[in-house]
Amino acid sequence: MRPSLIVLVLALALPLPGRAAYPDRPITLIVPFAAGGPTDVVARIVGESMSRTLGQQIVVENVAGAGGTTATTRAAQAAPDGYTLIMGHMGTHGAAPAMYPDLKYDPVKSFQPIGMAAGTPILIVAKKSFPAKDLREFVAYVKANSEKLNEANAGVGSVSYTTCAFLNSLLGAKPSRIVYRGTGPALNDLVSGQVDYMCDQIVNLVPQIQAGTIKAYAIAQAQRSPALPEVPTTKEGGLPEFQVTAWNAIFAPKGTPPDIVSKLSGALRKALADEGTRKRLLDLGADLSDTAAQTPEGLAKLVESEVARWNKVLKSAGATPK
Ligand code: MLT
């Protein structure tokens, strides 16, 4: 190779002047809900593996409030330098625009998608003493008694709020809707029997269902989950209209440089191919089958279709603000 060519090749391989090789310090991954809940669990499992690949720690920061939209606004406004990311989900980046007419971010335009970390099927669960032995009895009981019941959720626009808004509309139910900073704390109150039921992501629920501390009536997708093979689908249980799935995905602020996006998305995909990381997620019931959405382009398409889907679902359920 000619000396001038060698110099050119070396120059292209070096970081741009003024910008150190990324990442040269810890990366913050905002979780827009309380610690210990589904989004937090997914963020910590995936973040651990990505930290190893990137050679820098990914520090999870829990910033709860307004169904996840407070933290998501903050992430949208952060410097697009790859050091502030968010684990968004079907609520913050799908349902929220239908619930908040004055939302300060646009799930499509304000973010650079990195990739989906986990699909998280939804279950209908209730406190252990709930007086229904299966989904049919649950439906009948909720229809007859909804005004006396408390349904727990993580705030307007969250996954639990929007999926249970849909469920309640199908049943014509009007329970008191009790808002928590995430379904981690909501689940604690379900276990202790202070609230009656909720719709939640599987990764938050498997250990409690297996321990028998709460009741699981159905999973709201076409197939049973390998993590909870004894839990019937909503179709098997007589409520086939209730089909909902959620997901958690990493986003960076819009304007994040392409080389940083590619490093982050490579580290995410490596995490999702890593046997140990996969096992931890799969044991909790996460669905890792949508490999297309694990890329920035695939996630961009998913977000666009989810915003449209939830807008339609929530409007026809009469769940949007009047
Ligand atoms: C959480 O982590 O608490 C959940 O993802 C909340 C939700 O959206 O239901």
Side-chain angles (χ1 to χ4, degrees):
M1 203 186 283
R2 286 206 317 269
S4 57
L5 260 183
I6 294 172
V7 171
L8 180 67
V9 168
L10 285 175
L12 287 174
L14 289 172
L16 292 174
R19 208 175 89 200
Y22 173 85
D24 70 343
R25 57 189 161 91
I27 297 166
T28 298
L29 177 58
I30 299 176
V31 165
F33 296 97
T39 304
D40 184 69
V41 164
V42 171
R44 285 176 199 273
I45 295 175
V46 168
E48 208 179 290
S49 172
M50 287 177 72
S51 298
R52 284 196 295 275
T53 303
L54 295 166
Q56 284 291 342
Q57 217 197 331
I58 294 193
V59 181
V60 170
E61 190 186 341
N62 299 86
V63 183
T69 60
T70 305
T72 310
T73 303
R74 190 166 125 187
Q77 292 166 356
D81 56 8
Y83 290 99
T84 306
L85 310 173
I86 185 159
M87 185 65 82
H89 71 0
M90 181 226 93
T92 56
H93 288 73
M99 303 305 299
Y100 293 92
D102 57 350
L103 198 62
K104 299 278 185 304
Y105 64 88
D106 179 324
V108 175
K109 294 189 188 137
S110 313
F111 293 93
Q112 166 59 55
I114 302 298
M116 188 206 273
T120 49
I122 299 295
L123 281 98
I124 304 172
V125 289
K127 65 181 181 185
K128 196 178 168 186
S129 60
F130 199 85
K133 72 170 185 323
D134 56 22
L135 184 62
R136 279 184 181 81
E137 284 191 14
F138 173 87
V139 166
Y141 190 86
V142 172
K143 279 184 175 172
N145 298 284
S146 78
E147 281 167 33
K148 288 183 251 156
L149 297 176
N150 292 322
E151 172 241 301
N153 63 72
V156 176
S158 65
V159 167
S160 44
Y161 184 95
T162 49
T163 53
C164 247
F166 179 39
L167 175 70
N168 293 336
S169 84
L170 290 173
L171 305 186
K174 290 194 174 13
S176 299
R177 308 202 70 192
I178 315 294
V179 169
Y180 290 81
R181 294 170 70 76
T183 53
L187 181 62
N188 292 339
D189 277 6
L190 194 72
V191 170
S192 66
Q194 289 177 59
V195 286
D196 296 299
Y197 72 99
M198 68 177 181
C199 305
D200 197 13
Q201 298 164 75
I202 193 166
V203 292
N204 198 32
L205 303 171
V206 167
Q208 297 293 357
I209 294 170
Q210 285 171 343
T213 55
I214 56 171
K215 280 182 176 165
Y217 288 112
I219 186 161
Q221 63 178 16
Q223 278 90 33
R224 292 188 181 204
S225 166
L228 290 171
E230 69 288 358
V231 177
T233 65
T234 44
K235 187 168 177 211
E236 292 172 282
L239 192 63
E241 318 85 290
F242 189 57
Q243 293 282 325
V244 280
T245 51
W247 45 268
N248 288 263
I250 301 180
F251 297 85
K254 193 73 170 183
T256 303
D259 57 324
I260 293 181
V261 172
S262 140
K263 267 200 179 168
L264 289 168
S265 108
L268 172 61
R269 271 174 292 163
K270 194 166 172 202
L272 297 175
D274 171 74
E275 222 175 285
T277 307
R278 286 181 73 78
K279 182 171 171 10
R280 287 172 75 190
L281 291 167
L282 293 170
D283 284 352
L284 291 173
D287 178 357
L288 305 181
S289 63
D290 190 351
T291 48
Q294 291 170 6
T295 65
E297 304 73 31
L299 178 57
K301 280 195 197 129
L302 176 73
V303 170
E304 236 173 275
S305 68
E306 286 285 89
V307 170
R309 177 165 84 104
W310 281 100
N311 187 39
K312 209 163 134 198
V313 170
L314 293 167
K315 278 200 173 128
S316 58
T320 50
K322 304 285 172 282

